[in-house]
Amino acid sequence: TTAAALERFTVNFTITTLPYSADLENPDSARFRATRRVMNMLLDRLLKESSIGPVFRGCETTDFRDGPGSDRDQTRVDAVCTYSKEPWAAPLDRVGLYHQVSNSTRGITQLGPYSLHKDSLYVNG
């Protein structure tokens, strides 16, 4: 058997209850590392429960940015997620996955202890 190819997709959203600060720009800072670890765990838990759960491999938060319009009360999160493209699995349905994530986050309002900007979720784009 041939190993399935790993495919990537992006997930982006804005947290309204995580004030942005300069140490979130620095991947070596304790705050960046701790926040990335929490985001990765929350995204992994969320996507393992979705329709791609059987082929989902994990998410890695890549970047934190200040909120829309330089709103430092909010933090934008960028993550790259990976799944294995198995021959038996349906192709990634970005729209369907977006709706599942929306439903699992109470209409894009809550991810774990964080509040989300309801219009900020993007899956692969």
Side-chain angles (χ1 to χ4, degrees):
T1 59
T2 314
L6 290 179
E7 297 282 327
R8 290 181 168 83
F9 62 96
T10 59
V11 176
N12 316 90
F13 53 93
T14 300
I15 298 175
T16 60
T17 53
L18 177 65
Y20 182 78
S21 61
D23 53 355
L24 285 174
E25 290 175 20
N26 178 2
D28 295 324
S29 77
R31 185 160 190 238
F32 181 99
R33 290 195 311 268
T35 306
R36 178 178 59 194
R37 198 168 36 253
V38 170
M39 289 303 137
N40 293 349
M41 180 196 68
L42 292 170
L43 286 169
D44 286 357
R45 188 180 299 157
L46 181 70
L47 292 169
K48 280 179 185 161
E49 298 295 319
S50 74
S51 62
I52 68 162
V55 295
F56 176 71
R57 295 294 171 256
C59 290
E60 188 65 37
T61 302
T62 57
D63 202 19
F64 298 106
R65 298 176 287 143
D66 59 344
S70 299
D71 185 350
R72 296 181 83 77
D73 292 338
Q74 303 179 27
T75 298
R76 290 189 284 185
V77 178
D78 299 329
V80 176
C81 302
T82 308
Y83 69 99
S84 60
K85 196 170 179 181
E86 299 287 351
W88 50 263
L92 179 67
D93 172 10
R94 291 190 309 251
V95 174
L97 187 57
Y98 172 91
H99 288 293
Q100 290 173 43
V101 170
S102 174
N103 290 339
S104 298
T105 56
R106 296 185 184 158
I108 315 168
T109 61
Q110 190 151 16
L111 179 62
Y114 299 103
S115 294
L116 303 178
H117 186 289
K118 68 179 184 61
D119 298 321
S120 70
L121 177 67
Y122 294 93
V123 175
N124 230 26

